[in-house]
Amino acid sequence: MRHIYKVFHEKSAGDFHEVYLRRVNHDSTMHLGLKIKPMNQPQIYELYYVPTNKMIMLISKIHSISNHFQKIFEALPKVARRQFINECLVEELFNTNDLEGIRSTREEIARSAKEIKLNKKSKKRFESMIKSYMRLVGNEIEFPKTPQHLRKIYDDITNKEIDQDELPDGEIFRKEVTYILKKSGTGKVVHQGITPEKEIIQATEQLLKFMNENDEIPAIIKVAIGHYYFGYIHPFYDGNGRTSRFISSMYLSEALGNISTLSLSRGCNKYKNKYLEAFEFTNSIKSRGEMNGFIEVFLEIILEALIQMNAELKEKDELLKIADKKLGNDSEIKNKEVREIMFVLAQNHFFDSGNGLTIKELAGIFAKSEVTIRKSMKELLALSLIEQRGERPAYFCIRQTYFET
């Protein structure tokens, strides 16, 4: 089906209106009960979409890739699973920050995440956001039911990362108008968030009712619609994108699982122009509230990101299997316990880009004393199979050349 915003420039005003009426009144059209008012004109339009074969195909592929990904993931040994989750978490947080123009590095986020897990009492940047995503991965989230819940999610995701003059100044959301500029740098205003706050509250209540109570629309399509509408409302001066992507990930976790959902921000960032353009043409009068274009872009982004994640996981899994075979045939490693430690270090080697594992972490993994683990590490160091990085804490990892010979 040709998207209506593309038909806009091909028809006279009268003919285009006829196309719109036929489409919005078609028997298969899904009316969503959410309304928008494009800029610089008085007409209000209800959001709608027409189910298409393309949507069905994209959703089918998403579920297929997600299921395949889950099977490989669940077959991994415990440490590999844990490390892969950490890596996906870091990648997701880095990309959601990058989309908003927030300067951060993967190393900084990984370090903060590790310190949080170790319960270190130090000031960590992005601590609140990292903990939010950890709760998501750990299935410890509760879907938002009220505008106040949305504000709490916003506070957790953006904590200490919003300039003082950009913080919400209303009862829950912002009091004043906010504008979204074209990302090309022209300074052109492409959207104006809902105002006053009373209307923001009403719109977010409608959005939450749609997300939590509408059972007629496939879950992933519903997430796409909700993601767009949150951006349309734009309830905050700053931090809307980060908050919206996290909320969308919450709802996606129900349909795809909590690991697959860590693909959303990396996909949105990789296809940034396509992602932002989808908001722009859906907001405009050319679309008249039609959601088909946005839904398809959103589904394509999720699919491409999942394909990338799946490829990464398959490669790491294959490398780990080759490593396991090598360890089993290594005549230098005669002690079973030492071989098991080497296999854990191999999992860390292929599934985590960090420094390695500490004595304390290894002791926790094997449920043994640090004294016992330290004895095994001395044996491996003597065989030149591993190396130590840093002190207090010292990190241990397999020598890079071990798996290359």
Side-chain angles (χ1 to χ4, degrees):
M1 187 187 82
R2 191 163 172 75
H3 300 148
I4 201 166
Y5 75 91
K6 293 183 177 179
V7 179
F8 181 83
H9 298 292
E10 302 169 358
K11 305 279 186 181
S12 67
D15 289 344
F16 177 74
H17 188 62
E18 286 298 316
V19 171
Y20 164 70
L21 289 177
R22 284 198 302 272
R23 192 164 292 185
V24 80
N25 292 314
H26 195 276
D27 287 346
S28 63
T29 297
M30 298 295 295
H31 298 271
L32 305 175
L34 304 172
K35 297 179 180 179
I36 66 168
K37 182 179 176 294
M39 282 181 60
N40 302 319
Q41 55 83 56
Q43 187 67 40
I44 293 172
Y45 297 96
E46 182 182 4
L47 294 180
Y48 72 91
Y49 78 94
V50 182
T52 63
N53 284 335
K54 184 173 183 179
M55 288 182 194
I56 294 169
M57 180 191 70
L58 286 168
I59 292 172
S60 176
K61 286 182 177 179
I62 287 169
H63 281 295
S64 177
I65 291 287
S66 182
N67 290 338
H68 186 251
F69 172 89
Q70 198 65 29
K71 283 179 183 177
I72 297 174
F73 178 80
E74 288 174 357
L76 290 172
K78 184 178 179 180
V79 174
R81 290 200 306 269
R82 187 186 72 184
Q83 301 295 51
F84 188 74
I85 290 172
N86 289 346
E87 201 166 79
C88 289
L89 185 70
V90 169
E91 193 67 25
E92 187 71 0
L93 269 62
F94 170 79
N95 279 285
T96 199
N97 284 340
D98 197 46
L99 267 166
E100 301 293 305
I102 299 166
R103 295 187 65 180
S104 63
T105 65
R106 290 175 176 85
E107 293 75 19
E108 177 186 17
I109 295 169
R111 186 169 58 251
S112 292
K114 191 155 193 170
E115 288 181 359
I116 289 167
K117 285 189 174 183
L118 293 171
N119 292 317
K120 284 194 174 182
K121 294 181 179 179
S122 59
K123 291 183 179 179
K124 294 167 282 288
R125 196 177 174 207
F126 309 121
E127 179 175 354
S128 186
M129 180 170 69
I130 291 168
K131 286 181 176 178
S132 292
Y133 273 92
M134 283 180 173
R135 286 193 295 272
L136 172 61
V137 171
N139 290 318
E140 298 168 4
I141 54 161
E142 182 182 348
F143 293 117
K145 294 181 176 63
T146 67
Q148 288 83 356
H149 288 162
L150 291 180
R151 172 60 189 271
K152 176 65 169 63
I153 291 170
Y154 166 85
D155 289 341
D156 288 341
I157 292 296
T158 64
N159 187 36
K160 298 178 183 176
E161 293 298 324
I162 302 290
D163 291 341
Q164 193 66 32
D165 58 352
E166 294 291 319
L167 289 170
D169 53 0
E171 198 175 311
I172 305 173
F173 303 114
R174 57 175 167 79
K175 285 199 301 189
E176 306 298 332
V177 69
T178 187
Y179 299 98
I180 296 87
L181 306 180
K182 198 173 181 70
K183 294 296 181 180
S184 60
T186 60
K188 179 185 175 184
V189 175
V190 294
H191 180 59
Q192 176 180 317
I194 289 179
T195 195
E197 188 188 18
K198 178 177 70 175
E199 292 188 17
I200 296 174
I201 292 171
Q202 289 173 350
T204 54
E205 286 173 341
Q206 290 171 341
L207 171 59
L208 291 171
K209 184 177 180 181
F210 171 78
M211 293 301 296
N212 296 327
E213 299 179 18
N214 190 313
D215 296 324
E216 297 179 357
I217 297 171
I220 303 179
I221 290 180
K222 192 160 65 169
V223 175
I225 294 163
H227 190 77
Y228 163 74
Y229 201 59
F230 189 96
Y232 170 79
I233 298 169
H234 227 71
F236 306 104
Y237 294 114
D238 190 16
N240 293 281
R242 280 165 282 172
T243 306
S244 181
R245 284 186 292 277
F246 180 76
I247 293 168
S248 294
S249 292
M250 291 172 71
Y251 284 99
L252 276 176
S253 67
E254 253 194 340
L256 301 179
N258 50 12
I259 312 302
S260 292
T261 200
L262 292 176
S263 61
L264 180 58
S265 291
R266 75 157 73 184
C268 292
N269 201 18
K270 184 175 182 180
Y271 302 100
K272 183 176 181 178
N273 291 338
K274 192 177 181 180
Y275 173 64
L276 296 175
E277 284 169 5
F279 280 102
E280 193 174 326
F281 65 64
T282 308
N283 285 337
S284 77
I285 195 171
K286 294 182 289 186
S287 286
R288 298 287 203 276
E290 183 180 277
M291 287 292 302
N292 280 64
F294 188 92
I295 290 168
E296 288 174 12
V297 166
F298 191 83
L299 295 178
E300 286 166 353
I301 284 173
I302 291 174
L303 177 60
E304 289 302 318
L306 280 173
I307 289 171
Q308 181 186 338
M309 276 180 69
N310 195 52
E312 290 172 5
L313 183 62
K314 283 175 71 176
E315 181 181 356
K316 290 173 185 289
D317 182 47
E318 184 64 26
L319 288 169
L320 184 61
K321 285 174 180 174
I322 294 169
D324 189 24
K325 189 175 180 181
K326 179 178 173 66
L327 288 169
N329 295 330
D330 193 331
S331 59
E332 282 192 288
I333 308 174
K334 298 180 174 64
N335 185 306
K336 181 189 173 185
E337 285 74 20
V338 170
R339 181 176 280 110
E340 287 175 349
I341 289 175
M342 280 291 284
F343 184 56
V344 164
L345 291 176
Q347 293 174 56
N348 187 72
H349 177 80
F350 292 114
F351 284 83
D352 182 34
S353 55
N355 289 325
L357 294 171
T358 65
I359 295 290
K360 185 177 181 179
E361 286 175 306
L362 287 165
I365 291 166
F366 289 101
K368 292 184 178 180
S369 71
E370 292 185 24
V371 172
T372 301
I373 297 296
R374 193 169 282 109
K375 183 180 175 183
S376 296
M377 301 315 283
K378 283 181 180 178
E379 184 177 334
L380 288 169
L381 285 168
L383 291 170
S384 296
L385 296 177
I386 67 170
E387 60 185 14
Q388 178 181 328
R389 295 176 183 172
E391 292 182 10
R392 296 184 182 179
Y395 290 90
F396 297 90
C397 58
I398 290 178
R399 287 189 178 276
Q400 181 67 36
T401 55
Y402 179 77
F403 295 115
E404 297 174 359
T405 56

